[in-house]
């Protein structure tokens, strides 16, 4: 038997097998990822309207999606049911949701708004890291995620939730007013800094490993 491996079949076979196996596709972590992807067009549609109610509903759906993001990873580790399909769906769902929400926030006719350049930097960061992860994978290199990536996701979740709610609300029984947009922007600045920092850290670690191979 020849030791040569066809590059096309070797790269496509695991995904094909994962999709073809019903147990993998219907595993709960994968279903949660698919649920997050299904939420994306619903959130986009809701954000086509302005007003406190649509924004609150969109924020609620975003929070639900963020909770399922945590749950699918936790379940996959607990049940040891990590699949190739799941490794593809989980980051895809995260990136689609974050990118869609950021684009809709930038385009929303509300003032104050979200600076377009911040959305561009965050979205491009996700594309850049995903591309580098693909290159590393093709080289047989697995670079584990660092705490920075988790912190980025946490700050990003708080930021987008606040920006989705947008409006100012008075806490019942008090005179204290919560400005959700202002709070969201503060978290977005932190998320932006951590996102760039984690991307630089990931690139340095990957290229350092590639040079040693």
């Amino acid at each position: 038997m020849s030791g040569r491996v066809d590059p096309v079949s070797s790269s496509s076979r695991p995904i094909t097998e994962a999709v073809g196996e019903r147990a993998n596709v219907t595993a709960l972590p994968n279903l949660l990822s698919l649920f997050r992807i299904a939420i994306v067009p619903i959130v986009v549609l809701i954000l086509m309207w302005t007003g406190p109610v649509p924004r609150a509903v969109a924020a609620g759906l975003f929070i639900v999606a963020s909770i399922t993001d945590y749950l699918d990873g936790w379940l996959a580790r607990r049940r040891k049911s990590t699949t190739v399909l799941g490794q593809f769906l989980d980051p895809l769902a995260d990136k689609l949701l974050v990118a869609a929400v950021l684009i809709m926030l930038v385009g929303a006719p509300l003032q104050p708004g979200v600076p377009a350049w911040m959305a561009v930097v965050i979205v491009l960061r996700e594309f850049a890291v995903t591309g580098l992860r693909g290159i590393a994978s093709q080289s047989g290199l697995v670079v584990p995620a660092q705490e920075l990536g988790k912190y980025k996701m946490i700050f990003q979740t708080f930021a987008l939730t606040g920006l989705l709610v947008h409006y100012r609300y008075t806490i019942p029984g008090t005179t204290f007013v919560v400005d959700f947009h202002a709070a969201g922007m503060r978290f977005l600045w932190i998320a932006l800094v951590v996102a760039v920092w984690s991307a630089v850290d990931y690139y340095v670690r990957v290229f350092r490993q590639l040079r040693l191979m």
Side-chain angles (χ1 to χ4, degrees):
M1 182 176 178
S2 172
R4 182 178 180 275
V5 179
D6 179 30
V8 176
S9 62
S10 64
S11 61
S12 61
R13 179 176 55 82
I15 296 178
T16 304
E17 289 178 355
V19 174
E21 295 176 6
R22 182 176 178 82
N24 286 347
V25 176
T26 59
L28 185 55
N30 293 345
L31 292 177
L32 290 174
S33 294
L34 290 171
F35 172 73
R36 286 209 310 286
I37 293 175
I39 282 181
V40 173
I42 299 174
V43 171
V44 169
L45 182 63
I46 293 173
L47 289 176
M48 294 178 68
W49 284 271
T50 58
V53 174
R55 300 299 291 244
V57 172
L61 288 174
F62 181 77
I63 292 173
V64 170
S66 299
I67 293 174
T68 64
D69 180 29
Y70 169 78
L71 285 177
D72 66 11
W74 180 77
L75 287 171
R77 291 188 298 270
R78 182 180 177 85
R79 298 184 177 186
K80 297 181 180 179
S81 58
T82 301
T83 64
V84 174
L85 180 62
Q87 293 173 353
F88 169 74
L89 286 177
D90 182 44
L92 174 65
D94 296 340
K95 289 170 177 53
L96 287 176
L97 183 63
V98 169
V101 169
L102 280 171
I103 291 170
M104 293 304 293
L105 287 174
V106 170
L110 293 174
Q111 292 299 328
V114 176
W117 72 267
M118 296 182 76
V120 169
V121 170
I122 292 174
V123 172
L124 287 182
R125 181 267 180 200
E126 298 299 332
F127 279 114
V129 171
T130 300
L132 184 61
R133 187 175 288 121
I135 294 173
S137 177
Q138 289 294 322
S139 302
L141 178 64
V142 178
V143 181
Q146 296 292 308
E147 291 295 320
L148 282 174
K150 298 177 183 179
Y151 294 146
K152 182 265 299 182
M153 194 63 193
I154 292 172
F155 287 123
Q156 203 167 255
T157 299
F158 281 118
L160 295 183
T161 300
L163 293 171
L164 282 170
V165 176
H166 180 76
Y167 295 96
R168 296 161 58 96
Y169 289 93
T170 302
I171 297 178
T174 70
T175 58
F176 187 71
V177 178
V178 178
D179 188 335
F180 280 91
H181 178 83
M185 284 303 302
R186 287 182 173 85
F187 279 114
L188 189 63
W189 272 105
I190 299 174
L192 178 70
V193 172
V194 177
V196 174
W197 183 8
S198 64
V200 172
D201 173 72
Y202 190 81
Y203 264 72
V204 169
R205 289 188 293 122
V206 168
F207 281 116
R208 183 177 297 162
Q209 292 294 326
L210 288 175
R211 289 176 60 184
L212 296 176
M213 293 180 64

